[in-house]
Amino acid sequence: MKNEPQSGAYVIDGGFKLYGETEIMSAKNAVLPIIACCAAVRGEVRLGRCEQTSDAMAMLDILRSLGGKCRFEGMDIYIDCRGLDKHTVNRSLTSRLRSSVFILGPLVAALRKAEISYPGGCDIGVRPIDIHTSGLAALGVKLTEDGDKIVCDGRGLHGGETVLPFPSVGATENLMMAAMLCRGRTIIRNAAQEPEIADLQNFINACGGRVRGAGGKVITVEGTDSLHGTDYVPIGDRIAAGTFLIGGAMCGGEVTVKGADPSHLGSLTELLLAAGAEVTEYTGALTVSGNGKLKTVKKAETRPYPGFPTDLQAPVTAMMAAGEGKGYIIENLFENRFRHVPELRKMGADITVCGRAATVRGRRLHGAVVTAEDLRGGAALVLAALKAEGRSVVKDIYHIDRGYYDFDEKLRELGAHIQREKV
Ligand code: EPZ
């Protein structure tokens, strides 16, 4: 089936400018917590403009394993969890994606119990879940560890206050969902402010929940008795949009991305302008244009939203590597998120990594055989290959399938010479 994660490689001939527009669909990092949230919704949910990425399919499999009914119809996901009555998610499912941890909150909310094996995900860092578990404990959930399982007893679940030691996106979302069906008021302080969190709030409220403040540092949840079904279209994927914009700036030409909110990409727009690309904002669309000859930006530092997003760090590293001049990129969010660097070096990149900082000296890149090590690093290798002189092969592209659907097809429509090959 087309939407199964397939092994394979991209064969790319670089050096072609990109022209045209691409439609951005619902954000992976909005859709995943919203799918998990449906475990606590007692009615049918339709989610619009969704793509069959392997992460979305994996999260739907988790709901099915718990007794939920889910199906894709074109770009719509239909979910009905009225028959969901199981609370244990086994390792074969949780190991497929880090976001499986999002199921804890909704299960504790709906069934007052949950049991999952530690989640998997990209090897971009240790990715502990201590902020999730300490937040749940603050709401009265008793957590125990049994081997590699986390067992949650939510019979004592109550509204409460908690201050996150770090504005963790997933922990913020998990706690919003744990609190949505419990008596009383919950206040989450030092909450993450990513746009996907406000989207989750809007989804919960569309189902009859009462959440406010998302997008700011303090989120308040008034528990309600139940959540009903709804029809919802999640926000456009700002990271996918940013990836195409960076590709357009690197290759030269003119690329328009429609369907993502330009206000979610302010920090990237600044970097593209500093690199010498032209960026024009429209309602619901952004256009990047230029000759592809970019200056290497002096410095890019990842930060929690609204700072420069860590998920665009690898694509921007590729952009800097192919530019002219010297710059620094600093990754503050994850401790192992430069795995694309050794692969970029195979293409002639001059990058030196020291801890969380990389020094980049722009070079003309040449084609090479490289391997994707994680989702965003894989996308960065594709962008570098589109810019490089000659032919490249990007292997292990199942990492890229997790968050970019039909990536090669969309790039071909913009004029890229890229083919997906089975290997
Ligand atoms: C979400 O991951 C995103 N995933 C990530 O996108 C994104 O990179 C990240 O937020 C930061 O923006 C989804 O939304 C599905 P965090 P999450 O909790 O929630 C540490 C992609 O490529 N931390 O904000 O896991 C953690 O180790 C993916 O689309 C703890 O120490 O990110 C990291 O250093 C990759 N303890 C930092 O906080 C915890 O309990 C940020 O993590 C939780 C997190």
Side-chain angles (χ1 to χ4, degrees), residues 48-59:
R49 291 172 64 80
C50 293
E51 294 177 303
Q52 299 186 25
T53 58
S54 51
D55 269 11
M57 305 303 279
M59 191 61 90

Side-chain angles (χ1 to χ4, degrees), residues 128-265:
I129 59 168
D130 57 307
I131 303 175
H132 296 249
T133 52
S134 56
L136 288 169
L139 302 184
V141 178
K142 284 195 177 42
L143 296 111
T144 50
E145 291 195 39
D146 167 13
D148 77 337
K149 283 198 180 69
I150 310 154
V151 182
C152 296
D153 173 354
R155 284 172 293 181
L157 182 67
H158 57 70
E161 282 206 38
T162 185
V163 182
L164 303 188
F166 178 86
S168 155
V169 172
T172 301
E173 292 165 339
N174 231 341
L175 297 178
M176 286 163 70
M177 294 189 280
M180 61 192 179
L181 289 177
C182 79
R183 290 232 160 284
R185 170 176 295 177
T186 293
I187 298 177
I188 305 165
R189 300 184 190 284
N190 195 28
Q193 298 176 264
E194 276 67 5
E196 292 76 20
I197 294 170
D199 207 35
L200 176 62
Q201 168 180 282
N202 295 340
F203 173 75
I204 295 170
N205 291 345
C207 294
R210 289 166 54 204
V211 185
R212 62 182 192 280
K217 298 300 279 176
V218 181
I219 297 174
T220 303
V221 184
E222 305 287 352
T224 52
D225 295 333
S226 64
L227 296 170
H228 55 70
T230 190
D231 195 293
Y232 193 77
V233 179
I235 55 170
D237 195 319
R238 62 193 169 99
I239 305 301
T243 306
F244 283 99
L245 289 169
I246 294 164
M250 289 173 69
C251 295
E254 183 172 285
V255 170
T256 296
V257 293
K258 298 170 78 170
D261 182 339
S263 71
H264 293 163
L265 283 157

Side-chain angles (χ1 to χ4, degrees), residues 35-77:
I35 292 175
C37 189
C38 289
V41 174
R42 293 297 171 262
E44 183 172 72
V45 171
R46 180 192 76 92
L47 300 178
R49 291 172 64 80
C50 293
E51 294 177 303
Q52 299 186 25
T53 58
S54 51
D55 269 11
M57 305 303 279
M59 191 61 90
L60 292 174
D61 285 345
I62 288 177
L63 288 191
R64 291 188 186 100
S65 74
L66 297 167
K69 289 199 179 69
C70 316
R71 69 181 192 280
F72 248 107
E73 274 183 22
M75 302 294 282
D76 294 337
I77 300 178

